[in-house]
Amino acid sequence: MKTVLFIALALAFAQGAQAESYQCKLQSGDVVAAQFPCEPAMLERFTKSLLALYPQVREINTSPDYIMNLYIFSMTSCTGHFAKMTPEEIGVNGEPFFPKEMLAAMVKAGREVMCPVPR
């Protein structure tokens, strides 16, 4: 149930995706359209960064599908009005879905891996 809710939230935020869309495949077989690539190397960098910033994720869930969903969800921090917010500002608005520290860590990790370099 949590996974379905999580995917629904990720999809809702991803609706604002730009013209280019990428396919992210979950281990469950589900495919989700995303704003940025879901290449294994990018996902690995995101995972390492997220676990370093918020080690409690290990206690919550580290299944490949859960981590992929966190990765996809964190993409929204790169675009729209979220792009102008600090990770901490976004973290305040993440509860009750995520603890604010976890969401801030997701944003930081996601931005390190995915967000376009500002020009």
Side-chain angles (χ1 to χ4, degrees):
M1 180 68 174
K2 284 185 179 180
T3 301
V4 173
L5 174 63
F6 194 77
I7 290 172
L9 285 172
L11 289 173
F13 280 104
Q15 292 300 321
Q18 269 72 32
E20 192 158 15
S21 181
Y22 299 91
Q23 300 295 311
C24 298
K25 187 173 183 180
L26 304 173
Q27 276 197 334
S28 66
D30 293 335
V31 177
V32 179
Q35 296 170 285
F36 298 97
C38 296
E39 298 167 0
M42 293 174 76
L43 185 61
E44 184 178 338
R45 284 182 36 224
F46 170 80
T47 302
K48 285 180 180 179
S49 180
L50 176 63
L51 293 175
L53 293 166
Y54 194 76
Q56 295 89 326
V57 171
R58 285 185 180 91
E59 299 165 20
I60 298 169
N61 190 346
T62 57
S63 72
D65 279 358
Y66 185 75
I67 296 297
M68 177 67 86
N69 282 316
L70 295 180
Y71 177 82
I72 293 167
F73 188 82
S74 70
M75 290 179 185
T76 60
S77 68
C78 298
T79 59
H81 74 278
F82 291 114
K84 296 176 184 165
M85 298 172 73
T86 67
E88 293 74 22
E89 288 172 330
I90 295 173
V92 169
N93 298 319
E95 293 180 330
F97 298 107
F98 303 106
K100 63 183 174 184
E101 296 84 5
M102 181 177 172
L103 186 53
M106 288 168 45
V107 168
K108 287 177 185 173
R111 286 180 176 174
E112 287 174 11
V113 174
M114 293 176 262
C115 293
V117 177
R119 297 169 203 234

